[in-house]
């Protein structure tokens, strides 16, 4: 009914059916005891929160529009992050230690039973618990769910000095909670497309003293049908075209110069279209507010695109969005708040680096060793797993002890089954999104996925943002750097060295450091890059990257035409983006 009324542009009548639909979804999600069942329910409402937000915005109800979008974002991630709230650890000090222990035991028990649903069946497809009796497993799972629900209700009712600090525990988001994630001068920007039009919603606070966040809106020049055509080609053409078609054709035949050039041209055209229709209006609005930083929360299929690399040419000179603003991304306001809390609590920065797992079927990464060595030199006593050491089991065992993780390897994206996307470890074993979601850890600062396609979300449920960045956020990382396409080895190695140096030695926050490194890779000539790495060749007592590594980078750029900017095209620098902080 909500979609029918929205299609007729009867926006005032959309609100109540939308509210009822989301209440029904909440009920069905609670009744769904395993992830696969939850995904079935969420698939039914894809696009509905964006339509509701657009309708509410047309009615002038901008705060409600923001809440509608947030409520439809990353439901499974939001549930997992809320279940691991750090302030629950205060319950024992408040005299509710038994309640805390009961909650942890009920959560752990439910998690164990849910994991059994993914184990190989022993008695046919209807027996997810393997050799155990399905009916008994189902009863045990339902009992564990009831126990957890009763415990959650008890936690919500905890009173401290007349207040109930956990009253909103595992309840749908409110505007007050969204506003709490907004830092002064760093607006949150929700981006959406619908059939009649696109919209950007800006949630901001000017100063720390501002008790109330303000929402403003700006129309976008991109509709949902136009976005699909941009990504996939004309709707009446059964062949995959557009951005994804050109990319897929190149990936299947990467040695074909014509297909490589077609992908380069399509990437350039797509980023130009994004500049004209999406980020141009966003940047103009932010500049009118005096903002220099912003956090993007793109809805639906917008999450597949490099919005930070959108460009315009207002005065005949190309200008990218990241030239005017430091842009980072977040799955949701709730996930962003969680990431900021983690970043503030992380002190020690122990590095775990994975250097080109071998053997694998994919091509060699000739610059991986140099990349990892240069980065490792910026940390005290790093742990590095080289080649055959980088087995899936070894990496999973080492992850909980690290605060910074750097993967220099191949990635594998599964568009249809994003839980099976991941990083290629030795012997072609995948470290998958599902593996990362199963990790339990206290928190860490940064994960960098210096590999191909590590930041692409599943196209089936794009608002769930099922990909490695969201999984690593759930696993306790405050920030995750990942890529949107298959990246080049040499330019990636140089970008990563510059990024880590700006962060570790010059003190820039990761988001600013990544943007500055991307501009450096794009704008400097080959001669300037050779001079940059040449400064490291003399022995500097370990203050910078190892001498041999600097010489290797120096030689690679010195061999190119010195006055050219070999990495100017977006392909070389724009794939990477930061999720979180």
């Amino acid at each position: 009914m909500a979609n029918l009324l929205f299609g007729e542009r009867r926006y005032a009548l959309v609100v109540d059916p939308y509210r009822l639909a989301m209440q029904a979804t909440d009920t069905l999600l609670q009744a769904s005891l395993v992830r696969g069942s939850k995904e079935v329910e969420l698939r039914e409402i894809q696009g509905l929160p964006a339509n509701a937000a657009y309708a509410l915005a047309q009615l002038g109800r901008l705060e409600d529009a923001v809440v509608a979008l947030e409520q439809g974002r990353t439901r499974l991630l939001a549930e997992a992050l809320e279940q691991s709230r750090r302030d629950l650890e205060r319950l024992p000090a408040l005299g509710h230690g038994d309640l805390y222990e009961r909650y942890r035991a009920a959560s752990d028990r439910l998690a164990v039973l849910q994991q059994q649903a993914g184990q190989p069946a022993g008695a046919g497809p209807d027996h997810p618990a393997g050799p155990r009796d399905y009916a008994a497993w189902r009863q045990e799972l339902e009992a564990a769910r009831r126990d957890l629900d009763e415990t959650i209700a008890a936690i919500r009712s905890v009173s401290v000095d007349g207040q109930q600090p956990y009253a909103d525990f595992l309840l749908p988001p409110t505007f007050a909670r969204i506003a709490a994630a907004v830092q002064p001068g760093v607006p949150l920007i929700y981006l959406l497309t619908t059939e009649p039009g696109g919209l950007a919603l800006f949630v901001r606070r000017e100063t720390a003293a501002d008790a109330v966040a303000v929402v403003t809106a700006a129309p976008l020049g991109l509709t949902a049908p136009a976005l699909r055509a941009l990504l996939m080609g004309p709707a009446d053409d059964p062949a995959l075209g557009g951005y994804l078609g050109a990319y897929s054709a190149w990936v299947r035949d990467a040695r074909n110069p014509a297909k490589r050039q077609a992908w380069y041209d399509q990437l350039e055209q797509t980023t130009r279209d994004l500049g004209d229709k999406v980020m141009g209006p966003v940047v103009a609005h932010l500049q009118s507010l005096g903002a220099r930083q912003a956090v993007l929360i793109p809805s639906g299929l917008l999450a597949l695109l490099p919005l930070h690399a959108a460009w315009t040419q207002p005065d005949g000179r190309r200008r990218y969005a990241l030239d005017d603003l430091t842009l980072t991304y977040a799955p949701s306001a709730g996930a962003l708040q969680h990431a900021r809390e983690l970043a503030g609590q992380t002190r020690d920065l122990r590095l775990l680096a994975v250097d080109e797992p071998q053997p694998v079927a994919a091509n060699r990464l000739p610059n991986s060793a140099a990349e990892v060595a240069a980065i490792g030199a910026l940390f005290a006593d790093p742990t590095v797993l080289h080649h055959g050491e980088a087995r899936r089991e070894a990496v999973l065992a080492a992850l909980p002890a690290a605060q910074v993780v750097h993967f220099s390897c191949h990635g594998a994206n599964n568009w249809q089954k994003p839980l099976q996307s991941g990083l290629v470890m030795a012997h072609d074993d995948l470290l998958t999104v599902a593996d990362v979601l199963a990790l339990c850890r206290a928190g860490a600062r940064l994960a960098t996925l210096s590999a191909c396609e590590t930041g692409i979300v599943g196209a089936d449920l794009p608002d769930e943002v099922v990909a490695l960045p969201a999984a690593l956020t759930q696993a306790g990382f405050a920030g995750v750097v990942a890529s949107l396409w298959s990246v080049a080895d040499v330019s990636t190695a140089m970008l990563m060295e510059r990024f880590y140096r700006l962060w570790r030695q010059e003190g820039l926050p990761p988001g600013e450091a990544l943007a500055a490194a991307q501009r450096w890779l794009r704008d400097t000539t080959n001669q300037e890059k050779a001079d940059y790495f040449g400064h490291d060749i003399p022995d500097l007592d370990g203050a910078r990257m190892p001498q041999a590594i600097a010489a290797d980078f120096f030689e690679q750029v010195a061999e190119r035409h010195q006055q050219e900017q070999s990495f100017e095209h977006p392909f070389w620098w724009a794939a990477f983006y930061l999720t979180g902080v």
Side-chain angles (χ1 to χ4, degrees):
M1 179 62 72
N3 285 337
L4 175 64
L5 292 168
F6 184 83
E8 295 177 350
R9 312 295 189 262
R10 301 167 70 183
Y11 297 131
L13 299 179
V14 168
V15 179
D16 282 341
Y18 163 76
R19 177 178 52 81
L20 292 170
M22 294 308 291
Q23 288 175 355
T25 300
D26 291 341
T27 301
L28 291 166
L29 287 175
Q30 285 295 316
S32 302
L33 298 176
V34 295
R35 184 183 180 99
S37 299
K38 292 178 185 290
E39 289 181 351
V40 169
E41 303 301 341
L42 290 169
R43 198 168 287 113
E44 293 291 327
I45 62 163
Q46 286 297 292
L48 184 59
N51 287 352
Y54 189 88
L56 287 162
Q58 303 312 304
L59 300 172
R61 297 171 57 178
L62 297 184
E63 289 187 6
D64 291 337
V66 168
V67 173
L69 275 178
E70 179 76 9
Q71 188 177 5
R73 298 286 300 162
T74 62
R75 297 291 298 267
L76 302 182
L77 174 63
E79 181 182 49
L81 294 180
E82 186 73 355
Q83 287 172 344
S84 61
R85 272 172 55 166
R86 291 296 183 89
D87 61 352
L88 294 177
E89 297 175 0
R90 294 178 53 232
L91 283 169
L94 298 174
H96 296 279
D98 57 335
L99 190 57
Y100 179 72
E101 293 303 322
R102 179 183 167 192
Y103 172 73
R104 293 261 55 99
S107 297
D108 292 345
R109 180 59 182 154
L110 184 63
V112 168
L113 289 165
Q114 288 175 332
Q115 287 175 2
Q116 290 177 355
Q119 293 176 357
D126 295 327
H127 292 69
R132 297 178 54 197
D133 176 71
Y134 172 71
W137 170 82
R138 176 79 187 189
Q139 288 179 349
E140 194 173 354
L141 189 66
E142 290 174 346
R145 179 75 250 184
R146 285 194 301 271
D147 186 25
L148 181 60
D149 288 342
E150 291 169 2
T151 307
I152 290 169
I155 290 174
R156 289 174 183 160
S157 66
V158 167
S159 179
V160 181
D161 298 328
Q163 304 293 320
Q164 291 182 301
Y166 305 104
D168 60 356
F169 182 44
L170 284 168
L171 289 176
T174 63
F175 185 74
R177 292 186 70 181
I178 296 168
V182 181
Q183 287 188 331
V186 187
L188 297 186
I189 308 172
Y190 292 84
L191 301 169
L192 64 96
T193 60
T194 68
E195 188 98 7
L199 189 67
L201 294 167
F202 303 79
V203 189
R204 72 184 197 280
R205 287 193 295 139
E206 300 301 330
T207 69
D210 292 335
V212 180
V214 176
V215 184
T216 53
L220 304 179
L222 191 66
T223 65
L227 173 60
R228 293 192 70 87
L230 181 69
L231 282 166
M232 304 174 189
D236 57 359
D237 188 345
L240 181 64
Y243 173 90
L244 294 180
Y247 177 66
S248 299
W250 172 64
V251 169
R252 289 194 302 269
D253 191 6
R255 296 182 182 276
N256 186 318
K259 292 183 178 179
R260 180 176 66 244
Q261 189 60 49
W263 161 235
Y264 287 8
D265 293 343
Q266 183 63 55
L267 178 58
E268 193 158 18
Q269 182 59 53
T270 298
T271 49
R272 175 62 189 266
D273 288 343
L274 289 174
D276 291 339
K277 300 174 182 178
V278 179
M279 293 306 294
V282 167
V283 170
H285 192 81
L286 287 170
Q287 288 177 326
S288 73
L289 301 174
R292 296 293 300 163
Q293 302 179 57
V295 180
L296 303 178
I297 305 178
S299 295
L301 296 174
L302 281 171
L304 293 171
L305 295 166
L307 299 171
H308 55 281
W311 58 277
T312 56
Q313 249 176 332
D315 55 0
R317 181 173 174 270
R318 183 178 301 196
R319 192 157 188 86
Y320 292 91
L322 58 65
D323 292 327
D324 294 307
L325 300 159
T326 297
L327 297 170
T328 55
Y329 295 75
S332 64
L336 178 64
Q337 182 72 347
H338 176 78
R340 287 192 176 129
E341 291 171 0
L342 289 174
Q345 295 166 354
T346 305
R347 294 292 179 263
D348 297 330
L349 293 180
R350 294 189 296 273
L351 173 69
L352 167 66
V354 174
D355 170 27
E356 192 183 9
Q358 288 289 339
V360 296
N363 295 333
R364 295 298 305 269
L365 301 173
N367 289 285
S368 176
E371 176 182 328
V372 169
I375 292 166
L378 300 171
F379 292 84
D381 194 24
T383 298
V384 182
L385 300 178
H386 299 283
H387 308 317
E389 299 170 336
R391 304 182 313 279
R392 172 178 171 274
E393 296 79 7
V395 173
L396 282 171
L399 274 172
Q403 279 72 49
V404 179
V405 179
H406 184 88
F407 288 94
S408 179
C409 59
H410 287 284
N413 184 61
N414 190 320
W415 294 88
Q416 286 72 39
K417 298 179 179 179
L419 285 174
Q420 298 308 311
S421 297
L423 301 166
V424 182
M425 298 292 102
H427 304 287
D428 286 313
D429 283 341
L430 273 186
L431 179 68
T432 66
V433 172
D435 289 332
V436 176
L437 288 173
L439 285 175
C440 294
R441 53 170 302 126
R445 182 62 190 92
L446 183 75
T448 302
L449 312 178
S450 181
C452 300
E453 302 182 345
T454 53
I456 300 176
V457 303
D460 187 32
L461 282 169
D463 281 336
E464 282 305 296
V465 198
V466 182
L468 282 166
L472 285 161
T473 298
Q474 180 175 326
F477 285 86
V480 184
V481 175
S483 64
L484 288 169
W485 56 78
S486 183
V487 292
D489 180 55
V490 60
S491 58
T492 297
M494 293 181 183
L495 174 69
M496 290 300 163
E497 188 281 331
R498 183 66 178 154
F499 161 60
Y500 275 91
R501 187 180 296 201
L502 289 168
W503 174 41
R504 296 289 291 151
Q505 288 192 337
E506 300 189 22
L508 293 182
E512 293 182 31
L514 178 61
Q518 288 172 314
R519 290 192 295 267
W520 172 84
L521 184 68
R522 180 193 70 192
D523 295 341
T524 54
T525 65
N526 296 329
Q527 180 64 60
E528 288 169 325
K529 290 182 179 70
D531 292 342
Y532 171 82
F533 292 114
H535 291 157
D536 282 310
I537 294 177
D539 187 3
L540 295 176
D541 297 324
R544 288 188 164 181
M545 77 176 79
Q547 184 172 331
I549 301 305
D552 182 46
F553 281 136
F554 173 83
E555 289 174 3
Q556 293 199 55
V557 286
E559 292 172 354
R560 299 170 183 261
H561 192 286
Q562 292 301 283
Q563 299 310 310
E564 288 183 357
Q565 295 165 289
S566 292
F567 304 123
E568 184 178 17
H569 190 280
F571 166 78
W572 301 100
W573 56 268
F576 289 96
Y577 68 99
L578 175 72
T579 295
V581 296

